[in-house]
Amino acid sequence: MSTEVDNARRRRFTQDALDLHRDSEHRAETHQRRGSLCDKHCAFNIPPELMDTHSPTGSHYHHHHHSLLTPRYLPAISTPNQCHHCSGDAQLCEGCAIKTTITAENEVEANKLANNYKFGFKKWKSHVTARPWEDRSDIVKELHSDLKTLKFPDGSVFSFGNVIYIILFGWWLCLAYLLVAFLMFLTILGIPYGKLCWSLAGYFLWPFGKCIQKTVRPGRNVRFHFSKCEAISEVDEARETTPLVGTKQPDIQDGTSSQSRYWCRPSTYLWLLLGFPFMFLIHSLACILSWIFVFTIPVTKMNARTIGTVLLMPPELVHIKKPKQTDVHMETEMILCCYHAFNLYYYKYTVDGINVFAVNLLPVVVVALALGYADKENKYASSYVKFTISLLSIIPLSYYIGMAIASISAQSNFAVGAVVNATFGSVIELTFYITALIKGSQEKTKCYEEIVKSALTGTLLGCVLFIPGLCMVIGGCKHQEQRFNSRSAGISSALLFISVGGAFAPTLFSKAYGNIVCQDCSNTTENATGPFVCRDCHYDLTENNYSLFHSHIEPLVYTVSILLPAAYLVGLIFTLKTHSHIYDIHISDCHVPGHHHSPVVYWARWRALIILIFATLLMSSCADLVTENIQPIFANSSVSQYFIGVTVLAMVPELPEIVNGIQFALQNNISLSIEVGNCIAVQVCMLQIPVLVLFNVFYPVGFVLLFSDLHLWACIFSVILINYIFMDGKCDYFQGRLTF
């Protein structure tokens, strides 16, 4: 009877397996058929020179969850009255009449990608949602591995990065274990831990290719993670069929019993008192150093696993060996297995969606605030050190502000996103400018006003020339020629030209009708009619020339400060509401099987809003420290205030934007790289400068919207140059080098 039941069970299992196999083949065939239809639609009538382009030039996104998870450029196509996505009898869907397509993992990511092409929105490259594990690349999976995967590499583990590990970490970790082993041997009771430390000394000197394993109960299901598959040990059938009642089980000395006796041994408390605290400090130091270096994060994982697991295990359960491909014991559990200590791709590593560099720079903010407000008399740090640290602290804060803005915009409608981008998009620069102007007003000096004007000019020059040029050079090194939509780039350049012209209109008017006043004039020749050499020449726009400044220039300044934000608002309404179809933003309904994932947002709206407000407050404090410690630099060094303003103060807050532009360029999306700079420049002219003028009305700080000749002509020339480069719709590293 039991034999017939077993045979029936086997037949049923075999039939289920065959049905599952047929169902899998059917789904795979369906997936292939649907994918081919989408590919046919996407590749229909595409020019050959655009087949490798992965960057969209429009703002269209949809719910076509293709297997391709990065934005992709698809030119305009003409389709018949059938939908290639659906069956042959279906009517043409709206998504098939599109010009450009943006594919994303979920709707939130699609909104974020679409916002990158909208007027007035920050361009953000990083993800705001967690990508499904199966959709990540092998490189990213390797970065986030837990060092428990058993591999059998074809080549040798001897590499340059592993040799660097010995120089930076291996030798002193080995020495520390040898010292602790000697100490534990002296105590007699700690001999088992002395043997463990002796083994770990050799392991940490060269851990690559070796494994730390833990003994477990025989017959227990043990899972081994391999690089391509996993093996689960089978339970002995005889043991499984042994009756549990009325039979005495043998007393097995397994890992469970050893773990239960672990806290009953005197040697355990001796180890926790003498050996573990010292090794905890040593491994913590190794974790901190390897985490700071970023590219050695595998060393961080290895030391953290040792602190939390290996050093707290009974020593008889820890086994260190170099496994072979044919030598896999099913009575052990893998604890630690490392093959490489150095990986260049760890610059992509994220913690809760935050880049590892932004995480590492957070302590700089704490140090800057502590030194700046606790050490007023410069006892522990000079003004140079405080200025440098305060300036560096702006970098991670600007990253957090950008991430928060992108998260809120991706989860909100266009009105909320536009308001957040307009109010907080320029908060980094405005915070510094306002604090500098207040500082100059309190000290009654024009030095800070000139610094602000230099920073404004430097931001314009950097965004118009430096950022696009740098992206063209770096992107051109990977891609021979990069193309973009010259029409959309021309519109952005025209808008930039109008905004720059409006911001500098009062300066142009003053140059045409103002009176030049010079000081320190001297005649270098004996002839009285000879030429004079003058210094400090400027246009008289004070009370001495009341009719020109107060009657003509000042009203023009206020008029421009009102018209520019109004033009910015009109542009938002035009592109986001009334004429949004120009950007071809559309959500289609083609889904690829296997990609139906609900979005897991890193920062919810309320969390992003709290981080945004908190980062803004910290930004204002750091900007105050920068302005407080900048004056001694000018007084005690030959560095010009104009140089500091145009270069350092203008570009350091924009470093996250520069990184975003470079990442877009490396993905052959040079259009977004260009838009990164144009967006900042437009916000400088249409929002930041008017805000400074209006702030001066309510809180007089002596800010006058009149620039020097050098600032004026440099900005105008840069806009003309970038318009000329955008004419042909293509670029390479040579053009980028000329711009850069």
Side-chain angles (χ1 to χ4, degrees):
M1 183 66 179
S2 61
T3 305
E4 294 177 359
V5 172
D6 292 340
N7 293 333
R9 184 180 303 170
R10 291 192 183 95
R11 286 195 299 270
R12 185 167 59 252
F13 176 80
T14 306
Q15 184 65 29
D16 293 341
L18 292 175
D19 293 341
L20 177 62
H21 179 67
R22 294 192 190 99
D23 183 66
S24 301
E25 291 181 346
H26 174 71
R27 283 183 294 177
E29 182 180 358
T30 305
H31 185 188
Q32 182 178 5
R33 183 164 57 250
R34 291 182 182 177
S36 63
L37 289 177
C38 289
D39 293 340
K40 180 180 179 181
H41 166 70
C42 295
F44 184 79
N45 201 20
I46 298 179
E49 64 271 12
L50 297 179
M51 289 297 292
D52 294 331
T53 305
H54 298 285
S55 59
T57 58
S59 300
H60 181 82
Y61 70 92
H62 56 77
H63 283 300
H64 285 56
H65 296 290
H66 295 284
S67 57
L68 181 63
L69 299 176
T70 54
R72 185 176 182 180
Y73 176 89
L74 299 177
I77 57 175
S78 58
T79 57
N81 293 328
Q82 285 185 347
C83 180
H84 291 285
H85 295 171
C86 308
S87 61
D89 299 331
Q91 296 297 322
L92 178 66
C93 67
E94 186 180 357
C96 295
I98 61 175
K99 294 182 180 179
T100 55
T101 300
I102 297 176
T103 58
E105 296 89 347
N106 51 68
E107 185 177 357
V108 177
E109 281 297 326
N111 290 336
K112 189 264 295 183
L113 293 175
N115 290 338
N116 287 339
Y117 297 89
K118 295 179 181 178
F119 171 76
F121 281 73
K122 269 185 172 292
K123 320 310 178 192
W124 195 254
K125 175 62 177 65
S126 303
H127 280 71
V128 296
T129 59
R131 298 184 63 184
W133 182 257
E134 61 271 16
D135 292 339
R136 299 187 179 187
S137 63
D138 293 336
I139 295 176
V140 177
K141 290 181 180 179
E142 178 68 21
L143 300 182
H144 292 272
S145 63
D146 54 359
L147 299 186
K148 295 178 66 174
T149 303
L150 185 61
K151 301 178 182 179
F152 301 102
D154 297 333
S156 174
V157 295
F158 185 83
S159 61
F160 176 76
N162 293 346
V163 174
I164 295 297
Y165 163 82
I166 298 180
I167 299 174
L168 296 179
F169 303 100
W171 68 271
W172 54 274
L173 286 174
C174 175
L175 180 61
Y177 271 109
L178 291 177
L179 294 176
V180 175
F182 178 74
L183 178 62
M184 298 308 294
F185 279 126
L186 292 179
T187 61
I188 306 300
L189 290 176
I191 289 179
Y193 287 97
K195 295 180 180 179
L196 175 63
C197 291
W198 182 268
S199 301
L200 290 176
Y203 175 81
F204 278 98
L205 181 63
W206 184 264
F208 312 108
K210 303 176 184 178
C211 296
I212 298 180
Q213 299 176 350
K214 175 184 177 181
T215 303
V216 296
R217 180 173 58 191
R220 176 186 173 188
N221 285 355
V222 181
R223 180 168 301 212
F224 277 83
H225 296 278
F226 294 89
S227 58
K228 297 298 181 182
C229 61
E230 61 179 16
I232 303 178
S233 61
E234 297 181 355
V235 181
D236 188 7
E237 294 181 359
R239 181 174 301 170
E240 185 182 14
T241 58
T242 303
L244 300 178
V245 180
T247 305
K248 184 178 180 180
Q249 298 294 329
D251 186 14
I252 302 175
Q253 300 296 330
D254 55 17
T256 305
S257 60
S258 299
Q259 189 71 30
S260 62
R261 298 195 308 269
Y262 176 70
W263 298 104
C264 300
R265 303 173 183 174
S267 60
T268 299
Y269 297 95
L270 184 65
W271 162 253
L272 294 177
L273 182 64
L274 297 180
F276 181 77
F278 178 72
M279 295 312 304
F280 178 83
L281 294 177
I282 292 296
H283 282 293
S284 298
L285 179 61
C287 285
I288 295 174
L289 293 177
S290 56
W291 181 269
I292 292 176
F293 294 152
V294 175
F295 302 107
T296 56
I297 287 182
V299 181
T300 305
K301 297 180 180 180
M302 183 171 58
N303 284 273
R305 180 67 55 81
T306 303
I307 295 174
T309 304
V310 178
L311 297 183
L312 297 178
M313 290 168 50
E316 66 272 11
L317 300 183
V318 181
H319 303 280
I320 301 174
K321 61 182 301 184
K322 186 175 182 180
K324 299 179 181 179
Q325 191 167 2
T326 58
D327 184 20
V328 179
H329 296 282
M330 294 303 167
E331 297 180 357
T332 58
E333 178 183 353
M334 189 66 62
I335 301 297
L336 183 60
C337 189
C338 184
Y339 294 91
H340 299 284
F342 193 87
N343 193 337
L344 289 175
Y345 287 101
Y346 265 99
Y347 73 90
K348 297 181 177 181
Y349 192 76
T350 58
V351 180
D352 195 20
I354 307 170
N355 187 269
V356 61
F357 289 102
V359 175
N360 287 351
L361 287 176
L362 271 182
V364 179
V365 180
V366 179
V367 174
L369 296 177
L371 286 178
Y373 290 104
D375 185 23
K376 293 288 187 179
E377 299 179 357
N378 296 339
K379 292 182 179 180
Y380 303 101
S382 62
S383 297
Y384 295 95
V385 175
K386 291 181 181 179
F387 174 79
T388 304
I389 296 178
S390 301
L391 199 62
L392 289 177
S393 64
I394 295 178
I395 299 175
L397 293 177
S398 61
Y399 177 89
Y400 283 94
I401 291 175
M403 179 77 172
I405 292 175
S407 299
I408 295 174
S409 301
Q411 302 174 67
S412 307
N413 55 26
F414 85 96
V416 176
V419 171
V420 171
N421 279 271
T423 53
F424 290 94
S426 301
V427 69
I428 303 171
E429 297 85 355
L430 286 176
T431 302
F432 169 73
Y433 298 154
I434 292 176
T435 53
L437 291 176
I438 294 176
K439 185 75 172 177
S441 176
Q442 293 174 350
E443 296 184 2
K444 300 186 182 303
T445 176
K446 287 288 186 179
C447 175
Y448 292 93
E449 181 186 357
E450 294 301 323
I451 293 175
V452 170
K453 292 180 181 179
S454 300
L456 289 171
T457 304
T459 304
L460 288 175
L461 293 176
C463 294
V464 175
L465 295 180
F466 178 77
I467 294 180
L470 181 63
C471 295
M472 290 178 188
V473 171
I474 297 179
C477 294
K478 183 178 180 180
H479 308 281
Q480 184 175 8
E481 185 179 77
Q482 294 183 291
R483 294 178 177 270
F484 54 90
N485 192 330
S486 59
R487 182 178 179 183
S488 62
I491 294 174
S492 300
S493 300
L495 180 62
L496 178 63
F497 192 87
I498 293 172
S499 59
V500 170
F504 285 91
T507 305
L508 290 171
F509 188 84
S510 66
K511 302 302 180 187
Y513 298 99
N515 298 324
I516 297 180
V517 178
C518 297
Q519 299 177 358
D520 299 332
C521 296
S522 60
N523 189 353
T524 57
T525 62
E526 297 181 355
N527 188 359
T529 60
F532 284 82
V533 177
C534 300
R535 298 180 180 179
D536 193 15
C537 295
H538 60 277
Y539 287 91
D540 185 13
L541 302 174
T542 58
E543 298 294 337
N544 298 328
N545 199 353
Y546 181 87
S547 61
L548 177 63
F549 180 72
H550 292 280
S551 300
H552 298 85
I553 297 179
E554 193 174 38
L556 180 60
V557 170
Y558 295 147
T559 303
V560 168
S561 301
I562 295 175
L563 292 179
L564 287 177
Y568 187 86
L569 179 61
V570 171
L572 288 177
I573 297 175
F574 179 84
T575 57
L576 303 180
K577 188 64 177 177
T578 60
H579 291 69
S580 59
H581 60 276
I582 295 178
Y583 289 87
D584 291 328
I585 301 175
H586 174 71
I587 300 177
S588 186
D589 55 356
C590 179
H591 300 281
V592 172
H595 290 275
H596 300 278
H597 302 284
S598 57
V600 180
V601 183
Y602 287 124
W603 294 359
R605 275 177 291 189
W606 285 109
R607 180 185 178 187
L609 181 60
I610 293 174
I611 294 176
L612 180 59
I613 296 174
F614 189 65
T616 302
L617 295 177
L618 292 178
M619 176 69 69
S620 62
S621 301
C622 294
D624 179 67
L625 294 176
V626 170
T627 56
E628 184 177 348
N629 294 280
I630 196 173
Q631 184 61 34
I633 297 178
F634 297 144
N636 301 323
S637 66
S638 59
V639 179
S640 171
Q641 60 189 14
Y642 300 103
F643 176 79
I644 294 292
V646 171
T647 57
V648 179
L649 299 181
M651 287 290 99
V652 169
E654 309 299 340
L655 279 180
E657 305 291 342
I658 296 175
V659 173
N660 285 330
I662 292 174
Q663 290 179 335
F664 286 131
L666 290 175
Q667 290 188 345
N668 203 16
N669 196 349
I670 193 63
S671 59
L672 274 187
S673 301
I674 296 171
E675 288 298 326
V676 166
N678 286 347
C679 179
I680 301 174
V682 169
Q683 283 194 342
V684 168
C685 296
M686 290 190 168
L687 291 180
Q688 296 179 18
I689 290 178
V691 167
L692 293 178
V693 173
L694 297 178
F695 176 78
N696 183 70
V697 174
F698 297 100
Y699 189 91
V701 290
F703 179 76
V704 180
L705 189 60
L706 295 174
F707 295 86
S708 64
D709 292 345
L710 181 61
H711 296 167
L712 170 66
W713 301 118
C715 291
I716 294 178
F717 174 76
S718 64
V719 175
I720 295 175
L721 178 61
I722 204 66
N723 272 277
Y724 176 77
I725 293 177
F726 289 165
M727 289 176 60
D728 55 354
K730 57 183 179 180
C731 63
D732 48 40
Y733 69 89
F734 179 72
Q735 289 181 331
R737 182 62 189 91
L738 295 179
T739 306
F740 174 68

